[in-house]
Amino acid sequence: MDILATTLGLGAFYAASAVSLALIWGTFGMLNLAHGAFITVGAYASLLLVNELGMPPWMGIFAGAAGGAAIGAVINTLLVARVFARPGFEINIIILTMAAATIVVDGINNIIGPSTERQPFSFEGRIALGETSIAWQTVMVIGISLAMTLILTLMLRYTALGRSINAVAQEPTAARLNGINVNRVVMKVMLISGAVAGVSGVLITQSTAVYPTVGQEPLLKALIICVIGGLGSISGAVIGAFLLAFVETVAQFELGTKWGTPVLLMAAVGMLVLRPNGLFGSRDITRN
Amino acid sequence: MISISPQKQDYLILAAMTLALALLPLTGRSNYFLGQGTLYLIWAAVVTQWNIVLGVAGIMSIGNLALFAAGGYAVALLGLYFDISPWASLPVGALAGLGMALLMGLSTLRLRGAYTVVVTLSISMVMYQLIVTDVGCFRRTASACYSLTGGSRGLTRFGDFGFNAMLGYGGAAWGNFLLALAVLVLCMAAAITVIHSPYGRAFQALRDNEQAARARGIRIEKFQLIVFAAAGFFTGLAGAVYAGTQRTFGPQILGFPTLLFLLSIMIVGGRGRIWGPVLGTICLAFVQENTTGLAEWQSSTYALLLIVILIMAPEGLAGGLSRLVPWLKGRVGGRTA
């Protein structure tokens, strides 16, 4: 029962941090190593708005979304737009976003300071559930994560924007010939992805704390989750999130806390060796 | 004009470079200069092999520092617990790197592109996490207790190459420098051989247009693995030399700042170009030595340099130079076909 409760909470965290990575990876084949920076910026946006500007704590989640969207726009304008759909995009964008993440972490360290702060956007209290209990916070994280996932999935499938995203993802040149403004579509995806990552940054830091490299571990977990779930599959990412949360929780209960992440990573690597396209991925959208 | 093959040309440049660098300690440089030089030679060696894996063989590994760390820790652990001199454990370090490369290479053999990035990064992060969270008591002294791998503090006092005893007082600095140079020359010679081999051209074909290359029957998964394993061997050797010359080895090697620094060297120098890593190291060394004043922004400086070069001149310094040379020839010698 403890394992189940922990798995649910952890899985929801992971799902929250993985869906936005899955969105841009799945649509554009772009592995965003600045994803951790998006999460960090979201967490700090909430922190600064509430602590420095004296806004009420519930505003924090919107600040997180705005901060994440802003960094998404900046990364898009300065980096993505310059290499998108050009030769070597796949590897170039990985290197570029990794460099960008370094600048963001350095910037926060040097301008705001390396100290650890409490995330002001948080809820107290627990609900009793038989022998165990679940924190309100966990319930809220599960709720917000599921809502974000659902909205993204529906948006991709049923809206005009979703259709143009799919068109650009499949063949940028053809999309452009059919009158789609590719740059604008990419910008929108980066904005959405940034906002979702920013929100997840606020959610994640409720249980940890806010510090400059807070996005690093969620980034690594999100990478593994997306790989396990398979490219292009947001629902695969969510299932992968809960699956990995379960593996990690069992490892922590059985082997001790320090083994959680290593076992998780090794399980993921092992699974990839057996199924190179992930559990739910079938199509290979590598493009050079 | 005597025509020499591009491969011979590269070997000749390498020989000239080696001679010039080997004479450098005789010009009365300070120990600080030689110490930093030793480090840069080692980084150039690591990036040379990484460049072969990522830039030439097209394996998107960003976990090559795990190979380096395997070699370094092999030397440090053997020295600390079995009192084995770094000279004797050099081959063990190289083999440790080879083993790590086989592990990575075999687990990524069927994977493509970004998947390889994730798996190689994961393996090096697992290594990092296991070392940093290693706090169990393994070795107890009167005042403190040390874990097996030294945890986040790393390992020290496991011996060195003993150049001070061999070459007299002050000999350590240039002994280390020459040893690091030897590793770089080994790595470069191996890299030149790979690039000019038939497989080097096959790799290039695969990189330029995978479908076309495969349609012509090029299948080189096996050779990719061999190149990766060789890179593991040489990178492990470099790690072993690092441990022996710096006399300390810690998990910081596996952290993002080191990864980014080496990546900047590769990109600035020119990815996939044989002389890229050396040119990139010279450039980054120059930047590093002149930006010590803004220590806290140093990583950002490399990151910024990397971004600008990758977007503005993706072929890097080596690419620019290779265009400059024919242009100069045309200027000086008139028209030469």
Side-chain angles (χ1 to χ4, degrees):
Chain A
M1 202 55 209
D2 275 344
I3 291 183
L4 192 68
T6 316
T7 301
L8 270 182
L10 206 59
F13 271 136
Y14 289 171
S17 64
V19 282
S20 75
L21 189 71
L23 175 68
I24 41 180
W25 196 351
T27 50
F28 301 142
M30 164 185 161
L31 175 50
N32 176 22
L33 287 185
H35 178 70
F38 288 15
I39 289 175
T40 312
V41 168
Y44 269 94
S46 158
L47 187 78
L48 292 182
L49 188 84
V50 176
N51 287 3
E52 302 293 321
L53 300 178
M55 295 285 184
W58 59 265
M59 288 285 284
I61 196 110
F62 297 103
I71 182 82
V74 170
I75 299 268
N76 182 60
T77 315
L78 294 182
L79 306 179
V80 182
R82 288 166 201 279
V83 291
F84 187 75
R86 303 245 172 89
F89 170 70
E90 192 186 16
I91 182 72
N92 285 347
I93 199 65
I94 293 173
I95 295 171
L96 287 174
T97 49
M98 192 154 85
T102 304
I103 297 179
V104 169
V105 171
D106 260 19
I108 291 176
N109 250 326
N110 296 333
I111 296 169
I112 301 176
S115 63
T116 301
E117 307 275 347
R118 222 178 127 265
Q119 173 59 253
F121 178 83
S122 68
F123 291 95
E124 306 289 329
R126 306 176 71 83
I127 337 170
L129 268 182
E131 307 153 37
T132 181
S133 66
I134 293 182
W136 266 115
Q137 232 171 103
T138 312
V139 176
M140 193 196 58
V141 170
I142 295 176
I144 295 182
S145 311
L146 287 182
M148 289 195 303
T149 314
L150 206 65
I151 292 171
L152 282 184
T153 314
L154 294 177
M155 186 270 296
L156 276 183
R157 197 163 297 166
Y158 296 110
T159 64
L161 176 62
R163 281 190 294 275
S164 44
I165 290 174
N166 280 325
V168 174
Q170 280 164 18
E171 189 50 69
T173 317
R176 185 171 286 136
L177 290 175
N178 279 293
I180 293 174
N181 186 336
V182 173
N183 290 341
R184 193 176 293 171
V185 171
V186 177
M187 177 58 120
K188 281 178 184 161
V189 172
M190 289 298 288
L191 281 173
I192 295 170
S193 163
V196 173
V199 169
S200 76
V202 177
L203 297 180
I204 288 167
T205 49
Q206 288 176 346
S207 64
T208 56
V210 187
Y211 50 92
T213 52
V214 71
Q216 219 168 68
E217 191 158 332
L219 164 67
L220 199 63
K221 300 271 171 69
L223 286 175
I224 297 292
I225 288 162
C226 288
V227 161
I228 294 282
L231 284 187
S233 169
I234 288 183
S235 46
V238 174
I239 298 171
F242 283 98
L243 209 63
L244 283 202
F246 179 69
V247 172
E248 184 175 352
T249 311
V250 170
Q252 284 184 340
F253 272 82
E254 300 296 324
L255 299 170
T257 317
K258 70 168 273 200
W259 288 98
T261 310
V263 167
L264 183 76
L265 293 174
M266 282 185 265
V269 170
M271 202 222 71
L272 267 184
V273 175
L274 299 175
R275 269 195 67 90
N277 280 321
L279 281 182
F280 308 101
S282 50
R283 78 205 164 107
D284 186 352
I285 60 158
T286 317
R287 183 175 46 221
N288 287 310
Chain B
M1 212 173 117
I2 317 154
S3 74
I4 41 174
S5 72
Q7 185 172 9
K8 287 227 180 80
Q9 210 174 326
D10 281 337
Y11 283 129
L12 281 177
I13 300 175
L14 178 63
M17 185 193 85
T18 310
L19 196 66
L21 283 173
L23 294 175
L24 204 57
L26 299 179
T27 56
R29 298 288 174 166
S30 70
N31 278 357
Y32 172 80
F33 181 91
L34 290 180
Q36 291 298 97
T38 306
L39 266 181
Y40 293 130
L41 288 174
I42 292 174
W43 291 140
V46 172
V47 180
T48 298
Q49 286 298 318
W50 192 12
N51 189 35
I52 291 293
V53 171
L54 194 144
V56 179
I59 307 168
M60 289 194 202
S61 160
I62 54 171
N64 274 38
L65 280 165
L67 317 174
F68 186 78
Y73 271 105
V75 166
L77 292 172
L78 287 174
L80 198 59
Y81 298 119
F82 300 99
D83 219 12
I84 296 175
S85 120
W87 285 111
S89 51
L90 272 184
V92 184
L95 289 179
L98 176 84
M100 190 59 121
L102 280 178
L103 175 77
M104 270 192 193
L106 286 173
S107 50
T108 55
L109 201 57
R110 288 172 62 202
L111 303 179
R112 314 253 313 103
Y115 281 108
T116 314
V117 171
V118 173
V119 170
T120 51
L121 185 66
S122 298
I123 291 177
S124 78
M125 288 313 276
V126 168
M127 194 172 172
Y128 177 78
Q129 294 235 339
L130 284 180
I131 293 170
V132 169
T133 56
D134 179 22
V135 288
C137 232
F138 182 78
R139 186 166 55 104
R140 200 177 279 281
T141 62
S143 56
C145 144
Y146 299 94
S147 60
L148 173 66
T149 59
S152 55
R153 276 179 300 181
L155 296 169
T156 49
R157 292 193 206 131
F158 45 77
D160 58 19
F161 288 105
F163 285 119
N164 263 339
M166 258 184 271
L167 306 168
Y169 179 75
W174 63 275
N176 286 339
F177 184 86
L178 291 180
L179 185 62
L181 177 61
V183 171
L184 173 62
V185 171
L186 255 176
C187 288
M188 288 291 309
I192 292 172
T193 311
V194 168
I195 281 193
H196 292 295
S197 73
Y199 287 106
R201 287 190 283 279
F203 283 138
Q204 198 179 357
L206 272 182
R207 208 180 48 213
D208 293 346
N209 189 340
E210 175 154 352
Q211 275 174 345
R214 290 209 186 274
R216 308 207 84 193
I218 294 181
R219 286 193 58 82
I220 49 167
E221 273 79 6
K222 200 175 88 189
F223 202 72
Q224 268 185 329
L225 190 63
I226 295 174
V227 165
F228 202 4
F233 184 87
F234 291 115
T235 311
L237 190 68
V241 169
Y242 178 96
T245 54
Q246 308 303 309
R247 302 196 297 171
T248 169
F249 208 88
Q252 296 79 7
I253 292 291
L254 294 164
F256 272 104
T258 320
L259 181 64
L260 191 85
F261 180 64
L262 297 192
L263 200 57
S264 305
I265 290 180
M266 180 168 12
I267 300 297
V268 170
R271 186 171 16 145
R273 306 267 174 170
I274 184 77
W275 295 103
V278 171
L279 292 172
T281 307
I282 295 171
C283 178
L284 266 285
F286 184 77
V287 172
Q288 187 171 45
E289 299 300 327
N290 286 296
T291 54
T292 41
L294 30 110
E296 66 270 34
W297 288 103
Q298 213 162 31
S299 282
S300 293
T301 313
Y302 309 143
L304 206 61
L305 194 63
L306 185 162
I307 289 173
V308 169
I309 293 284
L310 192 53
I311 289 177
M312 303 290 177
E315 292 182 320
L317 291 177
L321 212 62
S322 72
R323 270 203 303 268
L324 191 69
V325 170
W327 181 81
L328 275 180
K329 266 186 194 161
R331 280 265 151 140
V332 175
R335 239 173 247 162
T336 53

